[in-house]
DNA sequence: GAGTGGTCTAGACCACTGA
DNA sequence: CAGTGGTCTAGACCACTCA
């Protein structure tokens, strides 16, 4: 049979139909974890299509962690495992503007120097590495939105030494400047110390959400940043669909 | 040319070679965001393979968010955008035991009733829905690790009404009982109120990390849980590789 | 209208592995 | 060693969209 798309009322691609069929069996619980999925040949016959179309459908399910493929053993339904969620950490400017408020930022301090022990530790570099340290407040209308403390590795981004960040905040500047390929976030709660409380205009010891991010490029640490959001007003949202992940 | 795998010293699939080539151009910055990627036909000619092989390579890059495909316009390098990270929310028991401490839990309160306005709101159900509310403390050795406040929708899980959670903590029990397929997390900082402080044995107003999770099954809200971790001792870690995401 | 990606076919050979 | 998935081909038709 030559390829001819079903033009009659059908719009979903063939491989998605197959995928949906398998998905519904799995998510409904009809196929418990460990159940063997029909072989690709069987499915191809069943859906009257080429095996490659089936393969594409299953390949996508593998990425979603719904099934596991093994040669000879066939494809089996995966066991739901750790609860993995996708967390989007947005650009602060976009975040503020998305909430309908005016964005402004404010460089409090900016210093080129050699990394102290603590700075080197945070950045993940040698003591004495040339660094640019920046302290910056992000505003939403007239309310402090977040306090940013950043360390930039000047060995990785030498041009940062001459950048004054008058127009573009350091985060956005860096993002546009150097493509990074790995980031690690640490999220926790802290009580505001006196200095932080003053800058963010909050009570001393008020609970703050703190996000630390270390950004790497090919195992080369580019920048460390610590964002402190005042009070309980900042909420990170993470969503997760389908179900747990088995392959990793 | 018939298909014949290069058996000589080659091991990488063809489509991955192509993918790696494109990836390196993008991640190195040689192809800036917005740069047009050669058309699939061109790449097929260049790599001497079928267009579908190229298509598979590019399809994978789309999922990684490195490129965007548009008909007629062609494929272009995506702009790194929101920083999406994968956050693993572990089972508390596993978390405690992984840190080498002994795990124990402790049901403080357990009540079957009809959802109050606030409970209905949190769970995302109608007022008056039959619910089981549970308050539970998780311990690591002799230190309070987290306070769990949970609301279970008894319409979704009627058998929970008879469960006393003597052996298995509510979270694990539910996970094993009902397959869920959607979860939403909210993460923020709170100051401990008096009751919380007493239970967790911390200072009043101490900063706590709060994780709220609403779990759904087919748009049916199954359970709401609020986990409060004392002080700044609990850290969520999220990692992210390759780079930002544009398509979504 | 022409060029792009989106999808599909009906085969094929290969590598791996469980029976 | 036989069956499974992994990969690939050399076409094809379609839908979309930009020039």
């Amino acid at each position: 049979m030559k390829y001819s798309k079903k033009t009659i009322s059908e719009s979903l691609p063939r491989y998605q139909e197959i995928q949906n069929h398998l998905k519904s069996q799995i998510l409904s619980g009809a196929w418990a974890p460990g159940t063997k999925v029909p072989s690709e040949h069987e499915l191809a016959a069943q859906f009257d299509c080429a095996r490659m179309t089936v393969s594409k459908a299953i390949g996508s399910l593998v990425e979603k962690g719904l099934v596991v493929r093994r040669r000879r053993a066939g494809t089996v339904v995966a066991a739901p495992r750790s609860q993995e969620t996708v967390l989007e950490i947005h650009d602060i400017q976009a975040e503020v503007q998305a909430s309908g408020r005016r964005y402004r930022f404010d460089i409090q301090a900016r210093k080129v120097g050699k990394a102290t022990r603590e700075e080197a530790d945070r950045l993940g570099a040698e003591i004495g590495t040339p660094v640019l340290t920046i302290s910056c407040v992000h505003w939403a209308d007239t309310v402090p939105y977040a306090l940013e403390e950043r360390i930039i590795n000047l060995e990785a981004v030498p041009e940062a030494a001459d950048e004054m960040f008058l127009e573009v905040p350091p985060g956005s500047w860096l993002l546009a400047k150097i493509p990074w390929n790995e980031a690690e976030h640490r999220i926790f709660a802290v009580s505001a110390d006196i200095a932080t409380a003053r800058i963010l205009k909050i009570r001393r010891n008020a609970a703050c959400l703190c996000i630390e991010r270390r950004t790497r490029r090919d195992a080369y640490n580019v920048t460390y940043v610590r964002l402190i959001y005042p009070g309980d007003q900042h909420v990170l949202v993470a969503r997760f669909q389908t179900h747990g992940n088995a392959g990793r």
Side-chain angles (χ1 to χ4, degrees), chain A:
Chain A
M1 179 175 75
K2 285 282 167 66
Y3 172 54
S4 90
K5 197 159 187 174
K6 294 182 186 172
T7 43
I8 312 162
S9 77
E10 293 283 356
S11 59
L12 235 55
R14 214 87 175 70
Y15 75 92
Q16 269 199 13
E17 272 181 47
I18 301 172
Q19 200 185 108
N20 287 343
H21 172 257
L22 299 176
K23 206 162 147 184
S24 69
Q25 300 294 318
I26 296 168
L27 291 182
S28 73
W31 289 351
T35 304
K36 196 172 169 306
V37 173
S39 82
E40 297 191 357
H41 281 106
E42 284 178 58
L43 285 171
Q46 185 179 325
F47 284 89
D48 186 32
C49 67
R51 186 168 71 97
M52 208 185 188
T53 305
V54 173
S55 184
K56 184 169 183 178
I58 295 181
S60 175
L61 292 177
V62 169
E63 285 178 21
K64 289 178 183 162
L66 287 176
V67 299
V68 176
R69 288 209 262 202
R70 269 171 305 164
R71 286 175 157 109
R72 172 72 202 185
T75 302
V76 296
V77 176
R81 280 274 195 79
S82 78
Q83 305 180 4
E84 225 173 46
T85 77
V86 173
L87 178 66
E88 285 194 30
I89 305 222
H90 298 279
D91 181 62
I92 293 180
Q93 178 167 0
E95 211 167 65
V96 169
Q97 290 171 343
S99 70
R101 289 172 290 179
R102 205 171 62 84
Y103 173 76
R104 188 165 67 79
F105 74 97
D106 190 2
I107 303 284
Q108 301 256 310
R110 181 188 173 287
K111 180 167 157 277
V112 174
K114 299 207 173 294
T116 63
R117 190 204 158 99
E118 194 194 338
E119 288 167 348
D121 213 45
R122 289 189 170 178
L123 181 60
E126 298 294 312
I127 297 177
T129 303
V131 292
L132 171 63
T133 54
I134 297 173
S135 178
C136 168
V137 178
H138 300 267
W139 298 77
D141 287 336
T142 56
V143 180
Y145 186 77
L147 170 60
E148 169 177 343
E149 281 167 23
R150 185 180 288 272
I151 305 172
I152 299 174
N153 186 344
L154 289 177
E155 284 184 352
V157 204
E159 58 269 53
D162 304 319
E163 176 62 37
M164 286 300 150
F165 306 107
L166 298 178
E167 301 291 332
V168 181
S172 309
W173 185 86
L174 274 170
L175 192 59
K177 203 74 185 176
I178 41 150
W180 51 275
N181 47 32
E182 201 182 335
E184 180 189 313
H185 294 84
R186 295 166 58 82
I187 299 157
F188 52 95
V190 291
S191 292
D193 60 25
I194 301 182
T196 304
R198 194 170 40 75
I199 292 172
L200 292 179
K201 297 185 183 172
I202 52 175
R203 233 182 43 249
R204 193 189 156 190
N205 285 330
C208 293
L209 189 68
C210 181
I211 301 177
E212 282 185 348
R213 173 163 59 231
R214 196 174 281 125
T215 306
R216 265 187 289 278
R217 167 167 183 72
D218 305 331
Y220 210 126
N221 288 298
V222 171
T223 185
Y224 160 93
V225 62
R226 179 185 188 125
L227 291 163
I228 298 181
Y229 294 85
D232 45 10
Q233 65 182 252
H234 191 76
V235 177
L236 291 175
V237 175
R239 271 171 234 283
F240 180 56
Q241 285 186 14
T242 68
H243 80 191
N245 209 305
R248 320 186 196 175

